[in-house]
Amino acid sequence: MKKNIFALSLFFLSIGIGLHAQSLEGQWQGILELPSAQMRITLRMVPERTGYATNVQHVYLGANRLKMSHVEVQGSHVNIAVKGRNMRFEGDFVTQDSISGTAWHNANKMPLSLVRQRRPQTPQPPYPYQSLEINFTGGQSLVTLAGTLTMPRWGGSHPAILLITSGGAQNRDNEMYGHKPFAVLADHFTRQGFVVLRYDDRGVARSSGSFGDAGFDELYYDALAAYDALAARAEVDEKKIFVLAQGEGGLIAMRLATQRPNIGGLMLLGSPILPYTETILEQRSSLMRMRDVSEGLIAENKRWNRELQQLAMQYTNGDTLRTEIKSKMEELLQNRYPDITAEECAVETARAASLYSTPWLRAYLRLDPARYLQSLHCPIRAIYGAKDVMVPPIPHATALRRSTSRATVHILPGLNHLLQRTDGAGLPEDYNQIEQTLDPLVPEILDAALRSFTGKKS
C-alpha cells in the first residue's frame, strides 16, 4: 500500500521552561507510524520576549489550525497537549538534539522520536563582528520594536542595510520552517563591512503591539521608524543606506524609498509587482494547477475570490464585512454544492470571513506597487526564483520592467519562492524538506548590486 505523508506543524510562539530545562528552540521532526499511513510531525519552537512563554498558540494539522492546551518542560522532560483533539506527547531529551517518547491520540498509543533539524547555513557564534540587541519606538508610540544590529568591529561610519520581512507575522530572521534567511544575509553583509538592522514585526517575538490589528500603514510606519533608527546611529553613513525586502515586504520598501530619498537602492526578493488583487488570484491559480486541479475549477475559484475581494474593499466596518462575506460565501457554496451540509457551509463561510476581514489583507488588496515605482529615483535589484509558484516570476518581472527603467531583474533557474534550490516543482510543502536556506548565487547577485549602488568596482 502506498504510504501517504501528511505534515503536522506545531507553531510555538512561546514555551515554558524551568530554570534548568533543556532548550527547545528550533525545528523538530518525527514520523508517526499509523495503521494505514505515515504522519510526519514538525514542531517549530520559537523564543518569545521573555525566553519561552507558557502560552502556546497554534498547531497546524493539514489545513486545520488547532490550539495548544498545555506545554511543560521540566529539566529533560517534555509534555505537550493539543486542545480539543485528545492528542498529547510525552518524552525526554536523549541528547541535546533528540527527544524520545510516546504520542497518544484517543486510545491509540504510538512511539515517537523527535530530532532537531539543523540548517547548515544558519550563522553560529563566535562572530567576527559586533551583534547588539536594540529597541526602538515603532510607528505608534505604544509599540516598541526589538531587533538585532550587526556591525563591523572597526570604527568609523559604514554603509548600512535595513531588512524588511515578508508577508504575515515574522520575526527578525524572517524565519520559515526553521530557515533564517535574514540571519544568513545579515551575517553575509556584515562580514562585507555593512551595518545591518533586522527587527521583529510588531506583536512577534520580542516586539510589542499586535500584528493582527495592523494594516499596511502600520507596518510601513514601523519600517520607517526602523530606517530612522538605523540612520541615526553614529556607526552608519546616512548617505549610504540600502533596503532589502522579501515577498510582500517589498511593497513597504518601495513606499519607504518614496519618502526617504537618501535610500541608495532597493533589493527585492520574490516581491509582488502586480496589483495585490491580481497577485493573490494568480498565486491561488498557480498552486491549483500544480495540484492538477481542472481549469474549470480554477476559473470558478478565481471568480469567487474576485467577488470576495470586492466586498473586502467595499466595506470599511469589520462586522459588516464579515456578515457580507458569510452571506456571499453561503450563496456561492449552495449554488455550487446543493448537497452541502449546514455544518460544512458554516466552516467554509467562517474561514472566508476570517481571512478577508483581517486588516492586513484588506489594506494590501488596495495596493498597486506601480504607483510607488513610478515615484522612485533609486536603483532596484530584483531576484525571482524560476520555480516560484507564490509570486510567478514572469508576470511580476515584466510588470517591474514596465513600471521603471531603474530595475535590474534576475530570474534564477531551479529556485523556489524562498530562493532555495529545489529538484521539485517549487510547492510550499517542499520548503521544510530542503536543507539549503538560500542559494549561494543570491548573495553573489546582491553583492554585485551593492557595488553598483555604491559605485565600487568588482
Side-chain angles (χ1 to χ4, degrees):
M1 178 182 294
K2 182 178 178 180
K3 293 184 177 180
N4 295 312
I5 304 295
F6 299 95
L8 170 61
S9 297
L10 306 178
F11 284 77
F12 294 86
L13 296 187
S14 41
I15 297 162
I17 297 188
L19 183 61
H20 304 289
Q22 294 270 13
S23 170
L24 286 172
E25 182 177 2
Q27 186 107 343
W28 299 76
Q29 279 203 344
I31 293 180
L32 280 175
E33 293 288 346
L34 302 176
S36 59
Q38 290 181 324
M39 177 180 285
R40 177 176 284 118
I41 296 181
T42 303
L43 292 82
R44 178 182 173 220
M45 317 270 195
V46 182
E48 253 288 358
R49 277 187 291 169
T50 54
Y52 295 95
T54 54
N55 298 321
V56 178
Q57 295 199 347
H58 296 121
V59 180
Y60 289 84
L61 173 57
N64 298 316
R65 177 178 289 188
L66 311 177
K67 285 189 175 293
M68 301 299 293
S69 59
H70 175 76
V71 170
E72 183 180 14
V73 184
Q74 292 187 342
S76 63
H77 194 69
V78 179
N79 277 289
I80 300 172
V82 180
K83 183 178 181 180
R85 290 296 180 113
N86 202 16
M87 298 166 60
R88 64 188 179 94
F89 170 76
E90 185 172 338
D92 294 278
F93 278 88
V94 178
T95 69
Q96 181 181 352
D97 295 322
S98 63
I99 302 172
S100 181
T102 303
W104 286 266
H105 182 210
N106 296 322
N108 299 314
K109 179 179 177 181
M110 298 154 283
L112 176 62
S113 293
L114 300 169
V115 177
R116 193 194 317 253
Q117 292 182 291
R118 293 298 183 185
R119 303 304 191 188
Q121 288 176 284
T122 300
Q124 301 296 331
Y127 308 117
Y129 49 79
Q130 299 180 70
S131 181
L132 305 177
E133 293 291 308
I134 68 168
N135 295 288
F136 53 95
T137 301
Q140 297 172 320
S141 59
L142 297 180
V143 172
T144 299
L145 300 176
T148 299
L149 187 77
T150 53
M151 66 186 80
R153 291 192 182 277
W154 61 90
S157 61
H158 308 277
I161 302 173
L162 172 67
L163 306 185
I164 300 178
T165 61
S166 55
Q170 304 290 349
N171 67 18
R172 67 191 71 186
D173 294 327
N174 209 26
E175 185 174 354
M176 289 167 276
Y177 306 97
H179 291 289
K180 300 180 178 182
F182 276 13
V184 173
L185 288 171
D187 176 80
H188 174 82
F189 291 136
T190 310
R191 290 171 186 266
Q192 310 300 317
F194 288 85
V195 177
V196 182
L197 175 61
R198 62 193 198 271
Y199 63 96
D200 300 321
D201 290 348
R202 61 167 62 200
V204 178
R206 293 179 172 86
S207 288
S208 68
S210 170
F211 185 88
D213 295 331
F216 180 74
D217 283 348
E218 288 77 11
L219 299 178
Y220 161 71
Y221 284 114
D222 284 348
L224 184 64
Y227 174 87
D228 290 342
L230 179 61
R233 302 284 306 193
E235 305 89 349
V236 170
D237 181 347
E238 63 177 346
K239 295 180 180 179
K240 294 182 179 179
I241 300 179
F242 311 97
V243 178
L244 181 147
Q246 191 161 15
E248 286 89 341
L251 304 174
I252 294 173
M254 293 176 218
R255 180 176 175 183
L256 182 62
T258 66
Q259 299 300 311
R260 290 294 182 265
N262 282 342
I263 289 176
L266 298 183
M267 295 170 282
L268 307 178
L269 308 182
S271 293
I273 303 299
L274 294 171
Y276 206 69
T277 50
E278 294 303 313
T279 295
I280 291 179
L281 294 176
E282 290 308 312
Q283 182 184 102
R284 290 175 184 271
S285 298
S286 177
L287 288 169
M288 291 172 78
R289 285 190 185 94
M290 297 299 292
R291 295 181 171 93
D292 296 323
V293 176
S294 71
E295 288 299 320
L297 284 178
I298 291 173
E300 186 171 26
N301 180 273
K302 184 177 287 189
R303 179 177 62 81
W304 285 20
N305 278 285
R306 281 195 192 280
E307 293 188 41
L308 297 177
Q309 286 180 357
Q310 290 171 1
L311 291 174
M313 292 186 285
Q314 177 181 348
Y315 293 96
T316 56
N317 180 275
D319 291 335
T320 302
L321 173 60
R322 280 185 285 273
T323 299
E324 293 296 326
I325 291 286
K326 286 182 179 180
S327 176
K328 173 57 68 174
M329 246 335 251
E330 185 174 338
E331 173 192 333
L332 292 169
L333 286 167
Q334 289 178 347
N335 287 340
R336 179 65 175 79
Y337 306 104
D339 58 346
I340 191 171
T341 68
E343 182 179 1
E344 290 170 335
C345 189
V347 169
E348 294 302 322
T349 56
R351 183 177 296 166
S354 176
L355 172 64
Y356 277 100
S357 63
T358 58
W360 179 87
L361 181 57
R362 291 165 63 190
Y364 274 71
L365 287 173
R366 293 178 169 84
L367 292 180
D368 183 355
R371 68 188 182 98
Y372 298 130
L373 290 168
Q374 291 163 3
S375 302
L376 290 184
H377 300 288
C378 67
I380 300 170
R381 188 65 62 101
I383 303 176
Y384 296 94
K387 291 186 175 181
D388 188 342
V389 297
M390 305 301 288
V391 181
I394 299 301
H396 291 276
T398 301
L400 179 55
R401 293 186 179 109
R402 186 187 303 123
S403 298
T404 176
S405 61
R406 297 178 180 274
T408 300
V409 183
H410 303 263
I411 299 177
L412 303 184
L415 304 194
N416 62 20
H417 179 60
L418 300 189
L419 300 177
Q420 303 167 301
R421 188 159 297 279
T422 177
D423 294 328
L427 290 170
E429 49 261 40
D430 295 336
Y431 301 160
N432 183 49
Q433 307 307 316
I434 301 172
E435 279 196 355
Q436 184 184 73
T437 295
L438 202 63
D439 190 83
L441 187 56
V442 175
E444 286 184 20
I445 292 173
L446 297 176
D447 286 346
L450 288 165
R451 288 194 295 271
S452 173
F453 294 166
T454 58
K456 288 185 178 181
K457 296 182 179 179
S458 301

